[in-house]
Amino acid sequence: DAGVTQSPTHLIKTRGQHVTLRCSPISGHKSVSWYQQVLGQGPQFIFQYYEKEERGRGNFPDRFSARQFPNYSSELNVNALLLGDSALYLCASSPSYGGNEKLFFGSGTQLSVL
Amino acid sequence: AQSVTQPDIHITVSEGASLELRCNYSYGATPYLFWYVQSPGQGLQLLLKYFSGDTLVQGIKGFEAEFKRSQSSFNLRKPSVHWSDAAEYFCAVVLGKAAGNKLTFGGGTRVLVKP
């Protein structure tokens, strides 16, 4: 079975641009969460979506948004990119909202903002 | 404030020696506890988790962790380190099912293995 897949793996943008990151969860998983990992730090929670609804939001500005599609895949959008948005963006999927016993992470998208 | 602390930023250990990584949390109740490993440029791989029950938890790759409620700690151990264990290790917590998948991570400990 395929794990959590993220695309693209690497991305370079300039300040002020917009970016869309994509995540496909493990088959049968209905929850997708997004994390931002700045170099040298632990991941920080951005969003959780379950059954296509936002069920949790971390301390991130409104420039960050996400959505989940009927097939449970998800997109993370970031507007008006800042240098500080450069990070590894991780997606995680689980079967249910609180299904932490089966929470799996993808390999991430490395975003560089120049 | 709720937090997860990994006091050691870097640890260097010789191959074959034992390893212990520290993790302390600050929460009102006992959270669910996790240890993840991350190789450079990669995602997170779950080593082990503690939700309840036996406080000594066995994980993959020969790792184990012990939950100590009195010390609010969840330290990770391995009796004999292999060169392939060189990576960054993260402790994480979540406040039960009601918190969904909102994990709070520590800052990580980078492990270097000397031949």
Side-chain angles (χ1 to χ4, degrees):
Chain A
D1 287 340
V4 179
T5 57
Q6 294 186 243
S7 64
T9 54
H10 295 82
L11 202 53
I12 299 174
K13 293 286 190 178
T14 56
R15 282 178 296 176
Q17 284 190 313
H18 162 92
V19 69
T20 298
L21 310 181
R22 295 177 175 83
C23 173
S24 292
I26 290 172
S27 177
H29 284 195
K30 299 181 179 180
S31 174
V32 170
S33 300
W34 288 95
Y35 287 79
Q36 180 196 64
Q37 186 179 16
V38 173
L39 187 65
Q41 299 180 17
Q44 278 197 295
F45 174 81
I46 309 175
F47 287 112
Q48 181 180 3
Y49 275 75
Y50 175 62
E51 289 284 17
K52 301 178 287 294
E53 291 188 2
E54 181 182 308
R55 298 293 301 273
R57 172 186 278 260
N59 188 24
F60 281 81
D62 291 343
R63 299 185 295 106
F64 288 77
S65 64
R67 55 180 176 167
Q68 187 177 34
F69 299 98
N71 67 354
Y72 302 109
S73 67
S74 177
E75 285 182 353
L76 175 70
N77 296 283
V78 186
N79 292 323
L81 285 167
L82 304 174
L83 296 180
D85 295 330
S86 296
L88 180 67
Y89 288 85
L90 296 165
C91 172
S93 78
S94 70
S96 60
Y97 170 69
N100 294 299
E101 65 277 9
K102 291 184 180 180
L103 179 68
F104 295 96
F105 283 82
S107 296
T109 293
Q110 184 66 55
L111 173 65
S112 298
V113 182
L114 305 179
Chain B
Q2 299 169 340
S3 65
V4 180
T5 303
Q6 294 180 243
D8 304 303
I9 298 175
H10 292 99
I11 285 183
T12 300
V13 61
S14 297
E15 192 169 13
S18 63
L19 174 69
E20 181 167 13
L21 305 182
R22 297 183 289 165
C23 173
N24 294 95
Y25 62 90
S26 174
Y27 285 87
T30 298
Y32 294 169
L33 299 153
F34 306 82
W35 273 100
Y36 287 90
V37 61
Q38 185 178 42
S39 297
Q42 298 298 308
L44 300 168
Q45 183 181 21
L46 178 68
L47 288 174
L48 46 78
K49 58 185 181 287
Y50 174 78
F51 287 5
S52 65
D54 192 346
T55 57
L56 186 61
V57 181
Q58 301 299 319
I60 63 171
K61 302 186 178 187
F63 285 93
E64 66 178 25
E66 185 172 13
F67 168 62
K68 292 186 177 180
R69 186 188 306 273
S70 61
Q71 298 177 18
S72 297
S73 69
F74 188 55
N75 294 348
L76 181 71
R77 298 193 293 254
K78 185 168 184 177
S80 178
V81 168
H82 187 262
W83 64 266
S84 60
D85 293 321
E88 186 139 27
Y89 292 78
F90 292 96
C91 178
V93 307
V94 65
L95 284 177
K97 284 187 176 294
N101 296 148
K102 185 178 180 179
L103 271 64
T104 299
F105 285 83
T109 298
R110 181 167 297 280
V111 173
L112 304 175
V113 180
K114 294 190 301 183

